[in-house]
Amino acid sequence: MVRVLLNAPKQVPKGQPFNVKLLISHPMESGQRRDAMGMAIPRHIINQIVCKLDEEEVFRMNLFPAIAANPFLVFSATAEQSGTLTITFTDDNGVEQTETTPVEVV
Amino acid sequence: MKPVLLLLALLTAAAAPRSGYDDASPETRAMQDDDDANPGFLWVREGEAQWSKPAGPDGKSCASCHHDATISMRGVAARYPLIDTVSEQPMTLDQRIAQCREERQRADPLPPESEAALGLSAYVGLQSRGMPLHVRADSPFVAAGRRLFETRLGQLNLSCAQCHDERAGMKLGGATIPQGHPNGYPEYRLEWQAMGSLYRRLRDCMTGVRAEPFAPESLQAAELALYLAVRAEGLKVETPAVRP
């Protein structure tokens, strides 16, 4: 489990765009660096982030090297009804982690 | 009379300190200003969890003795380093936390620069955010720290003062030389892609001039940190700051 800060407004107006902010603790090792012994440091990045509101996918992103460590991401979404916002990300080591936050439509 | 005059001169020299925040780019400042975007908060949350995590033979946590940090730790970081009444030596906030961890909580020491150590320091520091730094300036350790600050060091034979007093605002390579204030530590440096302590910054500046860095537990390191705080008198605590 890595540390994640997921922030979305607790209450959102129906159909109005709101911002989702995501900060993930991750080395995002690009795979293009070498260690002190000259050995390549294996690539280790988050390669995919998927956001769902209940069962509906609202955002998907494929990530590539050259994104800084501890990446920060903001995207917007809209909601027609209250539900649970779920973020799932996967990294090169096959680690998958999910974070959730409730969103109430008012 | 003389030491008093000296002190006054010292305080007026540092009359209008300028935070490294003001030398950072608008993007870096925006990152610091938004707690949801500031990566330092990943460490703050770690520290918050550590605060109430029991450790050691008595199963005590920081919270067992200090309860709610938002109350008990408010303003603490703004008056460190101080002269410890027991050892009569300068003590940084990180040293105080380590002392509490080892002697009062009786738990294993937290390795310096570890997530847990930086987290606790950031969490305690955050409770003073926005409060002006104010440490007592009337000790010989402050004068000693100032002497260190003004002493040429390393193969490049440069003093801290030559960069941070005399050349603040100018460029060193691509970087703007800041006045070199300690008000944001521990802080997130984009260059490190991580959080780091004030000591880590000082070590970087010392190896930068190809000097042998003062050891983390040395009196010199604490004196230097103490003088930096006196020199930054009145600057607001920004922990966890973000810097290039």
Side-chain angles (χ1 to χ4, degrees), chain B residues 32-62:
Chain B
Q32 173 173 325
D33 291 341
D34 179 355
D35 291 357
D36 298 337
N38 180 342
F41 273 84
L42 292 166
W43 278 259
V44 167
R45 294 297 158 240
E46 167 76 24
E48 191 178 7
Q50 280 288 330
W51 182 260
S52 38
K53 195 164 132 192
D58 315 325
K60 283 205 165 118
S61 70
C62 313

Side-chain angles (χ1 to χ4, degrees), chain B residues 52-115:
Chain B
S52 38
K53 195 164 132 192
D58 315 325
K60 283 205 165 118
S61 70
C62 313
S64 313
C65 296
H66 296 292
H67 311 286
D68 183 352
T70 61
I71 299 164
S72 62
M73 292 294 133
R74 203 179 138 70
V76 170
R79 45 185 175 74
Y80 272 79
L82 43 66
I83 310 301
D84 180 47
T85 43
V86 179
S87 65
E88 297 181 342
Q89 299 283 307
M91 185 178 256
T92 65
L93 183 61
D94 290 345
Q95 287 169 328
R96 173 69 84 203
I97 293 173
Q99 180 197 48
C100 258
R101 165 94 190 169
E102 291 160 48
E103 294 172 17
R104 301 200 177 91
Q105 196 179 11
R106 302 206 292 141
D108 295 337
L110 298 170
E113 308 298 324
S114 64
E115 308 264 292

Side-chain angles (χ1 to χ4, degrees), chain A residues 7 18-23 59 61 71-77, chain B residues 34 36-37:
Chain A
N7 279 287
F18 60 90
N19 276 348
V20 180
K21 298 182 188 177
L22 183 65
L23 188 59
F59 178 84
M61 181 181 182
F72 174 62
L73 191 73
V74 186
F75 57 89
S76 55
Chain B
D34 179 355
D36 298 337

Side-chain angles (χ1 to χ4, degrees), chain A residues 7-71:
Chain A
N7 279 287
K10 291 276 160 284
Q11 297 187 322
V12 298
K14 186 178 162 86
Q16 293 289 309
F18 60 90
N19 276 348
V20 180
K21 298 182 188 177
L22 183 65
L23 188 59
I24 309 177
S25 165
H26 199 280
M28 298 298 279
E29 187 60 55
S30 70
Q32 288 163 19
R33 298 196 308 157
R34 290 178 180 274
D35 65 15
M37 302 306 290
M39 303 294 285
I41 305 174
R43 193 182 104 160
H44 180 209
I45 64 170
I46 294 169
N47 52 46
Q48 189 175 66
I49 300 176
V50 177
C51 175
K52 288 182 177 175
L53 186 59
D54 288 338
E55 290 311 306
E56 190 194 352
E57 185 170 312
V58 294
F59 178 84
R60 172 183 289 266
M61 181 181 182
N62 294 326
L63 290 84
F64 297 92
I67 294 177
N70 308 313

